[in-house]
Amino acid sequence: PGPGVRGPAARLRALRERHPLAARGPRAATTVLAAALVLGALVLPNTLDGLRPDRFARIPAEAILGAVVMLWLPRRPRLAAAVLSGIGLTVLTALNLLDMGFNEYLGRGFNAALDWDLLPDARSYVADTLSSGAATALAAGAVVAVLLLAVVMTAATLRLGGLLARHRARTARGALVACTVWITCSALGLQAFGAPVASDRAAGALKAHARRAVDSLRDEAAFAKSAEDDTFGATPPDQLLPALRGKDMVFAFVESYGRSAIEDPVTAPGVDRTLDARTGALAKAGFRARSGWLTSATYGGSSWLGHSTAMSGLWIDNQRRYRTVTAGDRLTLTKAFRKTGAWDTVGVMPGVQKGWPESRWYGLDKVYDAFRLGYRGPKFSWSTMPDQYALEAYQRRVREQRRDRPLMSLLILTSSHQPWAPIPRTVGWDDLGDGSVFAGIEKAGRKASDVITDTTASREEYGRSVRYSVTSLTQWLERYGTDDTVLVLLGDHQPMARVSGNRASRDVPVSLVAKDPKVLDRIAGWDWTEGLRPAKDAPVWRMDSFRDRFLTAFGSTPRPSKG
């Protein structure tokens, strides 16, 4: 500026000099806000349940250490340290927020080595549930929020670093007092509101994430080696499943069908009545059922991990394991039927809307995805079509076609997929047509956005969706099943934690249904409960044990293959 012309900074400085008290207030407020942001990030919990005011009444060791570092560093290194601290706090906050989301939906924390691949799936879920516009807006909003957080957090650390350097003597005394208090509280184990006053939450969180990532990478190598060892990998075709020859075999996964559906006080009354009623209806049609529990490898989502665990006999609890095993030639339970040469094999996947190369790994001759079932009705949120329609289309397009061999089918039903709104309603089987009959039902149903935000409504609608799916499947069996039909009905995982509970098990029901008493006699030693509703004390097996137990029960001879 020329003579007599002052820039904005000079004018602001002059204004502060004329009104020192008025200027001091905003500066103090900004400093307090900066301190609150930094301290809040250092003690931020990683679960929604822990997100309470009392959890912030702690003294973070990292803040004391940071103050000491800022105190003694020269100006330029101090500025660099402040910027790096701001970025580090942003990363820490983002990890804690990801933990919150993963704990809420999947019942576990975020894994930085494995879980980035799930974020596109989360976006696809939002797009299918709400709209592509909402998914794009949320994704863009998340990116903007992280960038804004980085800017604000870095500004906060720069401001605090400069303040501490300007008041070195006072800062040194304060740091010494804080350090003494922290050590005393830690030594005495003092707590406030049920949590330790002396906190190293930030360091502990970063250490946990680092350990989780390192352990996952080590686990990958060990898993790849163990996946090559297969108890039935070298079993000759004529020694696989001899006790099921001539049977039409159906493996049907019911989405999110977990133990909570049968035991939760909100969902259990309706679901239990449905299971008992459907057990009676099947009995009148000549079918008998036996049921137990499997502990799923996944929770709240990632259904394909449950499907692949049950079929492969391997514990597939993350995406990297899934990619490793599906790239190999592991003998899946479904592939065992194909290997015999005694069955045609087919998959019915109404949730698949893109290429699905895993069909080869599963050993499926043909796959009917969302576009090959002839559906012309409305989507029901994430689910592309009602289960009742998918089952009727399976009957018409697959089972009623002439064939020389019996059929082994893998069905993945989708109507009980979250957000459980709107939910289809059972209609007359002869009225299904091309699915257009569901248009009015979809319009009259609840909106997904209303159910997602209401925990009680989510639990109620989840129970309704399970009742619908189980009813559809068992009515199909009652209507079309023959003396040679054998059904294995099982869940893939529990619903998300907000519905099943924060400390819910990973157990899912599993039932075997058949008319032929010789089939049920084969599993008499399993001690499963009679009917479709497993007792609370029914046997609980890990889901990865199911393949070998099933193959053994139905006469397969173990012949291990080694990698």
Side-chain angles (χ1 to χ4, degrees):
V5 180
R6 295 187 298 176
R11 289 198 297 270
L12 181 60
R13 193 161 48 248
L15 185 62
R16 289 174 179 170
E17 292 172 355
R18 288 198 302 270
H19 305 283
L21 292 178
R24 193 177 304 163
R27 287 204 306 271
T30 303
T31 301
V32 170
L33 178 60
L37 283 172
V38 170
L39 293 174
L42 291 173
V43 297
L44 182 68
N46 66 345
T47 63
L48 287 177
D49 281 349
L51 202 59
R52 306 192 306 268
D54 58 288
R55 284 294 181 263
F56 292 87
R58 309 173 74 180
I59 303 173
E62 298 85 0
I64 301 171
L65 179 61
V68 172
V69 170
M70 293 296 179
L71 179 63
W72 296 110
L73 282 177
R75 183 177 179 277
R76 287 188 177 180
R78 185 181 70 246
L79 293 176
V83 171
L84 291 175
S85 297
I87 295 173
L89 289 172
T90 301
V91 171
L92 175 65
T93 302
L95 288 174
N96 281 326
L97 293 175
L98 285 168
D99 273 347
M100 289 181 194
F102 272 69
N103 279 310
E104 181 73 3
Y105 281 87
L106 302 181
R108 62 173 178 82
F110 175 74
N111 190 318
L114 303 176
D115 288 336
W116 296 108
D117 290 341
L118 296 181
L119 298 184
D121 291 319
R123 185 193 180 283
S124 297
Y125 164 70
V126 174
D128 288 333
T129 302
L130 300 176
S131 68
S132 58
T136 301
L138 286 173
V143 172
V144 171
V146 171
L147 293 175
L148 183 60
L149 177 64
V151 171
V152 171
M153 200 65 76
T154 301
T157 54
L158 284 169
R159 182 172 186 82
L160 293 176
L163 179 68
L164 295 174
R166 288 195 299 272
H167 303 279
R168 291 181 180 276
R170 205 178 303 173
T171 299
R173 290 194 298 269
L176 180 61
V177 171
C179 184
T180 302
V181 171
W182 192 94
I183 292 173
T184 302
C185 291
S186 178
L188 298 177
L190 296 181
Q191 294 191 349
F193 308 105
V197 174
S199 166
D200 58 355
R201 167 84 185 87
L206 292 175
K207 182 179 178 181
H209 275 282
R211 187 190 307 117
R212 193 180 300 160
V214 171
D215 289 347
S216 297
L217 294 175
R218 289 175 178 169
D219 172 76
E220 169 64 15
F223 175 76
K225 182 172 175 41
S226 65
E228 296 175 354
D229 299 334
D230 189 342
T231 306
F232 290 90
T235 301
D238 63 338
Q239 296 179 24
L240 285 170
L241 300 160
L244 285 175
R245 299 300 167 98
K247 302 296 183 186
D248 278 324
M249 189 71 218
V250 180
F251 294 96
F253 283 91
V254 175
E255 169 65 38
S256 299
Y257 181 32
R259 188 165 194 145
S260 297
I262 296 176
E263 297 183 355
D264 180 84
V266 173
T267 60
V271 172
D272 289 352
R273 282 195 300 270
T274 296
L275 291 174
D276 293 342
R278 297 313 305 157
T279 297
L282 287 174
K284 289 181 180 179
F287 287 95
R288 296 291 183 272
R290 298 291 184 274
S291 300
W293 303 104
L294 299 176
T295 301
S296 178
T298 186
Y299 179 101
S302 301
S303 304
W304 57 92
L305 303 182
H307 307 157
S308 55
T309 294
M311 294 295 105
S312 71
L314 293 169
W315 191 253
I316 304 174
D317 60 350
N318 61 63
Q319 188 66 13
R320 184 160 296 183
R321 282 191 169 201
Y322 180 76
R323 287 181 175 177
T324 296
V325 73
T326 55
D329 58 356
R330 176 85 176 181
L331 182 72
T332 60
L333 186 51
T334 43
K335 188 186 290 182
F337 283 86
R338 183 184 184 183
K339 184 178 178 180
T340 65
W343 280 272
D344 292 331
T345 60
V346 65
V348 178
M349 312 285 177
V352 173
Q353 302 180 64
K354 54 186 178 181
W356 196 58
E358 291 92 329
S359 62
R360 178 181 172 277
W361 179 75
Y362 275 105
L364 302 176
D365 297 321
K366 196 169 185 179
V367 172
Y368 290 81
D369 60 17
F371 308 108
R372 300 186 67 181
L373 292 169
Y375 184 64
R376 297 294 181 268
K379 286 184 64 178
F380 281 76
S381 190
W382 184 89
S383 179
T384 59
M385 66 190 71
D387 289 346
Q388 186 186 12
Y389 177 88
L391 289 162
E392 178 67 16
Y394 160 61
Q395 180 66 27
R396 293 195 310 261
R397 293 170 178 254
V398 182
R399 296 187 83 244
E400 291 181 358
Q401 302 304 309
R402 293 193 56 167
R403 62 184 69 253
D404 298 327
R405 297 179 292 188
L407 190 65
M408 190 291 304
S409 307
L410 176 64
L411 278 57
I412 311 295
L413 303 180
T414 61
S415 288
S416 50
H417 195 288
Q418 63 189 28
W420 309 298
I423 298 172
R425 190 175 68 244
T426 304
V427 302
W429 287 84
D430 294 330
D431 299 329
L432 285 166
D434 64 0
S436 301
V437 67
F438 289 103
I441 296 174
E442 189 272 338
K443 287 181 179 178
R446 302 187 66 171
K447 293 182 179 179
S449 55
D450 294 337
V451 173
I452 288 174
T453 56
D454 187 327
T455 298
T456 300
S458 292
R459 293 168 72 186
E460 292 171 347
E461 297 305 292
Y462 163 67
R464 284 187 59 216
S465 72
V466 169
R467 281 157 27 210
Y468 169 79
S469 292
V470 170
T471 298
S472 297
L473 180 58
T474 53
Q475 281 189 358
W476 168 84
L477 182 62
E478 182 184 359
R479 182 179 174 91
Y480 296 115
T482 69
D483 292 347
D484 290 323
T485 304
V486 179
L487 168 68
V488 173
L489 180 166
L490 67 164
D492 47 21
H493 57 72
Q494 284 265 51
M496 63 182 183
R498 185 159 56 86
V499 171
S500 60
N502 290 323
R503 287 171 289 278
S505 73
R506 292 189 172 210
D507 296 346
V508 299
V510 56
S511 302
L512 191 148
V513 190
K515 278 188 177 182
D516 188 346
K518 293 180 181 179
V519 172
L520 294 176
D521 288 345
R522 284 275 176 175
I523 65 166
W526 291 1
D527 296 324
W528 280 11
T529 307
E530 186 171 354
L532 291 172
R533 178 158 59 104
K536 288 187 177 181
D537 60 352
V540 181
W541 306 335
R542 277 173 47 123
M543 188 175 271
D544 58 346
S545 71
F546 180 73
R547 187 204 71 159
D548 286 6
R549 287 179 183 268
F550 188 92
L551 289 172
T552 300
F554 291 100
S556 304
T557 304
R559 290 288 179 85
S561 62
K562 296 291 183 180

